[in-house]
Amino acid sequence: MGCAPRQLRLSCTRLLNPGSDVPAPDLPPIVQLAVPFFMGSIGLELALGYIRGGARYETRDTLTSLLMGVGNLTIGILVGGAIYGFLSYVHQFAPVQLGEQSWGWAPWLFALCFVIDDFRYYWYHRIAHEVRWFWSSHINHHSSQHYNLSTALRQTWTSELMLSFLFRVPLVLMGFDPVMVAFVGGINLIYQFWIHTELIDRMPAWFEAVFNTPSHHRVHHAVNTRYLDANYAGTLIIWDKMFGSFVPERADDAPRYGLTTQLGTFNLLRVAFHELIGMIRDATRRGLSTRQRLGYLFGPPGWSHDGSRKTATQLKRDHVERFPDQAGLPGLPGPAA
Amino acid sequence: MAVSIPLPVLLGLIVGGLGGTLAALHAIGWSALARLEGPDAARLRFALDYPDDTPQDVWVASDGSTALLSLEGGCVGLVCVLGDRFTVRRLGARSVGSIRLDSETIVLAFDDVGFPRAVVPLAESPARVAWAARLASCVSPARAS
């Protein structure tokens, strides 16, 4: 979420790419610039929700979400320079340095980088839900039982610790400058802010078909069994449709939000680290085989060596056993053989 | 040169926005806690998370903050208020780290970083004895000894 200070970015570029004589454009820190927009939008949603209904906030939940956002921003600023330095180091091994071409900073290249980064985000996000190592960080964004614009700012504090920035390596190895990669990532993040609302029911059909929308993302945040592990998109919903993870919102199954095992505290440190600590505890238990320890680290959330917990796949299977008429509907497996 | 927000202004925006939002929420009454309006409400809320269970006895705190549900096999369902929502757990053998009985409450401690403690406002009464016994059967043997 954060960007390295401009001077540090330029220093890194000159240090690690001494041959580069094409200056990067002076890109604005867009996430920072969006802060007034974030705050104003939350105020507007809150006011509309109070006046006409359809959106709900709770004081302690909102405080937790906003402080998680502030913490994420702070950590981003603190470690952003190091991550930028790492990506710049990797970037020098790219077969072509796009930033050094005469067209290296052309608007169409930004657009191309944005689409490829959105594709990258889809897979990062999918893995963040399906592999506990990354889920232990991303879970924070899903830990509120509310779904409003403050939930969008409930961001992880441990993303960098869990090495999520490695998912950006392919882009810089393709030749995109780390500055451009960070910039389009910021745009993607800002796009995803406005879809965290219950105030908007549906967008026009053409928009719903191509873009991630409040309806699609409500499904993503829902704990209803059919909605688990669905709609991973950042900006473009087409990736979910291409890779079979798209589930439409149903009028007869209103989303309920949060985690399949809800938190029982607003304590910020517990919210930020509960799954990471749980994962470490599980993986370091006595008497487990190496394979079982790896299962706790890299298996799907809910995996357990003794079957005492359930993964999303198992929950969906159980649901279909309970309601056989729903087998094969979007988000649910077909009938058991 | 790119436009940016000076750090003091950014901090002011964050602190002011956060404080203003929380003050507004509190002023319009959105700090109020949720209430379970009786055993049926507790059953419904429990069933959302654990649809396969069929609770027998249900106890609901007079302030509507907490419910205990007796389940098959000696398990206990727990519904606890969290802001204007609820958190639900199915407590079986070894689910509870420790249990402490005070005059007005039963305090349950869990080995769960995301839900470390539940305070059940169940004062001295015959019902309390029965529920305490059920909950004691969920305490991890290592802690009980």
Side-chain angles (χ1 to χ4, degrees):
Chain A
M1 195 164 171
C3 297
R6 180 79 192 142
Q7 286 306 315
L8 179 58
R9 291 205 309 247
L10 289 174
S11 303
C12 287
T13 303
R14 285 171 190 146
L15 181 69
L16 297 164
N17 296 306
S20 172
D21 54 1
V22 180
D26 208 6
L27 297 174
I30 49 170
V31 175
Q32 190 191 102
L33 290 176
V35 168
F37 163 71
F38 292 157
M39 287 302 181
S41 301
I42 287 172
L44 182 65
E45 187 192 39
L46 196 164
L48 287 173
Y50 180 67
I51 293 165
R52 61 175 222 204
R56 178 75 191 184
Y57 281 75
E58 198 274 339
T59 308
R60 282 147 292 198
D61 176 84
T62 306
L63 175 63
T64 304
S65 293
L66 295 181
L67 288 178
M68 289 298 294
V70 171
N72 173 276
L73 192 66
T74 306
I75 291 166
I77 289 169
L78 291 176
V79 303
I83 291 171
Y84 179 78
F86 168 75
L87 291 176
S88 294
Y89 175 76
V90 172
H91 182 56
Q92 68 182 331
F93 298 107
V96 56
Q97 310 280 317
L98 295 177
E100 293 178 12
Q101 311 302 315
S102 59
W103 40 267
W105 297 92
W108 67 263
L109 199 65
F110 274 87
L112 180 65
C113 184
F114 179 84
V115 173
I116 296 173
D117 182 64
D118 195 50
F119 179 71
R120 185 275 313 169
Y121 179 84
Y122 169 85
W123 282 106
Y124 154 69
H125 195 191
R126 184 166 180 163
I127 290 168
H129 277 263
E130 297 180 0
V131 175
R132 195 178 180 195
W133 176 273
F134 295 107
W135 174 242
S136 71
S137 164
H138 184 63
I139 190 172
N140 292 309
H141 179 58
H142 287 266
S143 62
S144 172
Q145 293 192 51
H146 287 264
Y147 187 77
N148 54 44
L149 292 176
S150 78
T151 312
L153 304 182
R154 184 180 281 229
Q155 294 287 334
T156 174
W157 293 0
T158 54
S159 179
E160 285 79 11
L161 182 67
M162 307 315 288
L163 309 178
S164 301
F165 59 89
L166 293 178
F167 286 86
R168 289 204 159 96
V169 164
L171 269 106
V172 295
L173 282 179
M174 288 168 76
F176 291 106
D177 193 287
V179 171
M180 187 186 287
V181 172
F183 183 75
V184 299
I187 294 175
N188 206 331
L189 192 77
I190 292 170
Y191 178 87
Q192 291 181 49
F193 173 74
W194 76 277
I195 60 179
H196 290 83
T197 184
E198 291 186 290
L199 276 185
I200 298 170
D201 181 24
R202 295 285 199 284
M203 298 298 287
W206 68 268
F207 196 91
E208 293 278 342
V210 179
F211 292 99
N212 199 4
T213 64
S215 174
H216 299 328
H217 208 58
R218 283 194 289 271
V219 165
H220 177 69
H221 272 259
V223 292
N224 314 43
T225 310
R226 79 174 74 242
Y227 296 149
L228 294 174
D229 285 356
N231 298 5
Y232 300 110
T235 299
L236 299 169
I237 198 69
I238 56 172
W239 310 125
D240 283 287
K241 294 181 177 180
M242 284 171 65
F243 298 108
S245 52
F246 178 69
V247 177
E249 186 180 22
R250 290 171 65 106
D252 63 353
D253 198 6
R256 293 179 292 109
Y257 304 107
L259 306 171
T260 52
T261 303
Q262 304 284 9
L263 292 184
T265 177
F266 289 121
N267 181 307
L268 212 55
L269 292 175
R270 290 186 180 278
V271 172
F273 298 109
H274 73 277
E275 182 66 11
L276 179 60
I277 294 171
M279 180 179 76
I280 292 169
R281 276 184 184 172
D282 285 338
T284 55
R285 276 192 215 177
R286 287 181 184 174
L288 296 183
S289 67
T290 303
R291 187 186 174 87
Q292 288 169 334
R293 292 186 200 286
L294 291 173
Y296 278 116
L297 293 174
F298 301 109
W303 181 88
S304 57
H305 73 287
D306 56 3
S308 59
R309 306 174 202 167
K310 289 182 178 176
T311 65
T313 304
Q314 290 165 329
L315 289 170
K316 284 171 186 269
R317 218 178 286 141
D318 290 352
H319 182 88
V320 165
E321 273 181 28
R322 206 177 303 121
F323 305 105
D325 56 312
Q326 294 185 19
L329 289 176
L332 294 173
Chain B
M1 186 174 168
V3 180
S4 66
I5 302 176
L7 189 61
V9 177
L10 184 66
L11 285 175
L13 275 168
I14 291 172
V15 173
L18 206 150
T21 302
L22 298 177
L25 284 172
H26 194 68
I28 62 178
W30 283 4
S31 301
L33 298 176
R35 266 187 72 92
L36 291 163
E37 296 295 348
D40 287 345
R43 284 177 200 275
L44 276 173
R45 183 60 193 84
F46 185 79
L48 282 175
D49 285 23
Y50 299 97
D52 292 332
D53 281 294
T54 310
Q56 307 297 315
D57 299 336
V58 179
W59 169 85
V60 180
S62 57
D63 63 0
S65 67
T66 315
L68 296 171
L69 305 91
S70 70
L71 310 172
E72 285 177 11
C75 296
V76 177
L78 173 68
V79 182
C80 275
V81 69
L82 184 76
D84 63 346
R85 299 287 193 268
F86 293 96
T87 296
V88 178
R89 290 290 189 277
R90 185 181 194 281
L91 307 177
R94 299 167 187 253
S95 296
V96 180
S98 67
I99 179 169
R100 194 181 79 230
L101 303 179
D102 293 338
S103 59
E104 300 294 319
T105 60
I106 300 174
V107 181
L108 305 171
F110 305 115
D111 286 331
D112 178 348
V113 182
F115 189 16
R117 207 171 79 113
V119 179
V120 182
L122 183 51
E124 297 287 358
S125 69
R128 172 187 160 104
V129 176
W131 282 110
R134 282 183 184 138
L135 288 166
S137 71
C138 303
V139 175
S140 176
R143 297 295 185 90
S145 56

